[in-house]
Amino acid sequence: MLRSILLISLCSFAGVASGPSEATMEQVPAVAQEQASNSRQTQTAKEKRKKIKSKDEREPAAAAVTSTRNVVRASVTQRSPDGYLAELVIMDGGLAVRNPQDLQMIGSSGSQISDGSRIIFENFVLPFEGTVRFKSPNKMNTVIYERVINFRINEAGSWVVRVEL
């Protein structure tokens, strides 16, 4: 008796004892069709997101850091939409570095100003490419690194190039 109950319950669990009901037969194709249409919609949405334009078709960024060397983080942000000015702010451990060693500023146009408190590129022509090189020690003051930042500006404005060592 116990064996027959166990055998019937296993068979019904596996779907052998009784065939699938008509409701189950009707639901399977509908569910499969729905999943298929959902996967097609998902696939087309993914294709739209993945569609990448070639380099020539992309719109250039307003400003960007193109490369760095021996720098933890560098960014370019717009302070105001007026003027043609880029100020370099060098931060080391949360403090501003005012007089970096062996500072070299190279810009594609305009003029460079470096006094004790500010490092500025001004009156440049767009698109502007700037390079800043300087030397500064590591956190333990045991090694002096040459630091390099290259950036590009494509839109007019007052910009801040922030460099964290």
Side-chain angles (χ1 to χ4, degrees), residues 28-103:
V28 171
V31 171
Q33 288 174 357
E34 184 178 333
Q35 288 175 347
S37 70
N38 285 343
S39 67
R40 273 187 245 122
Q41 290 172 357
T42 305
Q43 185 178 7
T44 57
K46 284 181 183 178
E47 287 174 2
K48 288 177 185 176
R49 279 185 264 144
K50 283 187 176 182
K51 185 177 180 184
I52 298 173
K53 296 180 180 179
S54 68
K55 273 190 171 181
D56 299 336
E57 293 177 359
R58 289 184 194 158
E59 202 172 297
V65 174
T66 54
S67 67
T68 62
R69 184 173 14 152
N70 295 323
V71 171
V72 173
R73 186 177 300 123
S75 63
V76 181
T77 56
Q78 189 173 25
R79 187 180 289 162
S80 73
D82 301 327
Y84 295 90
L85 179 97
E87 180 178 0
L88 183 76
V89 177
I90 302 170
M91 304 294 285
D92 187 11
L95 300 172
V97 176
R98 296 290 179 199
N99 292 318
Q101 300 172 10
D102 298 333
L103 177 67

Side-chain angles (χ1 to χ4, degrees), residues 84-90 97-124 128-135 146-151 153 159 161 163:
Y84 295 90
L85 179 97
E87 180 178 0
L88 183 76
V89 177
I90 302 170
V97 176
R98 296 290 179 199
N99 292 318
Q101 300 172 10
D102 298 333
L103 177 67
Q104 297 175 0
M105 299 171 58
I106 302 166
S108 60
S109 61
S111 58
Q112 300 88 25
I113 299 172
S114 173
D115 57 12
S117 62
R118 295 173 61 166
I119 302 168
I120 299 173
F121 291 95
E122 65 179 1
N123 300 324
F124 50 79
F128 175 74
E129 292 186 17
T131 301
V132 178
R133 294 177 181 265
F134 61 94
K135 293 181 180 178
E146 180 181 33
R147 320 277 185 163
V148 181
I149 301 95
N150 295 314
F151 62 95
I153 298 175
W159 298 88
V161 180
V163 179

Side-chain angles (χ1 to χ4, degrees), residues 1-19:
M1 177 78 171
L2 182 60
R3 281 186 185 176
S4 62
I5 292 174
L6 184 59
L7 185 60
I8 292 172
S9 62
L10 284 176
C11 289
S12 65
F13 179 76
V16 176
S18 63

